[in-house]
Amino acid sequence: IETELVMELRVRDPETVKRLEAAMPRGCLGKPEDIAQMALFLASDESSNVTGAIFAVDGAVTAHCPVQLN
């Protein structure tokens, strides 16, 4: 997630941030707003039937498998 710490790292070591972004399945880091949108959904009536679930708001990092499994 593009936090203040990541923004500071972008200034100090832009190449590291570029490598992080390149490793992301979507090619970019998430924004704090992405987390906020999930929180809003869970706080809304739209999620009234959601119970005991784990939601990864990580730009598909946990769903991405770079190694082909046989």
Side-chain angles (χ1 to χ4, degrees):
I1 299 296
E2 184 112 12
T3 62
E4 287 183 27
L5 183 62
V6 173
M7 289 187 279
E8 290 173 15
L9 183 60
R10 192 179 293 281
V11 172
R12 285 190 324 240
D13 190 358
E15 289 303 313
T16 295
V17 176
K18 285 181 186 177
R19 285 196 309 272
L20 283 171
E21 291 173 329
M24 300 294 290
R26 292 180 52 221
C28 62
L29 298 175
K31 305 272 186 236
E33 293 82 9
D34 299 326
I35 305 300
Q37 289 297 320
M38 178 55 78
L40 286 172
F41 167 71
L42 292 171
S44 75
D45 290 339
E46 300 295 319
S47 68
S48 63
N49 204 33
V50 175
T51 58
I54 297 172
F55 295 94
V57 185
D58 65 0
V61 169
T62 55
H64 181 71
C65 184
V67 178
Q68 184 172 350
L69 303 174
N70 291 326

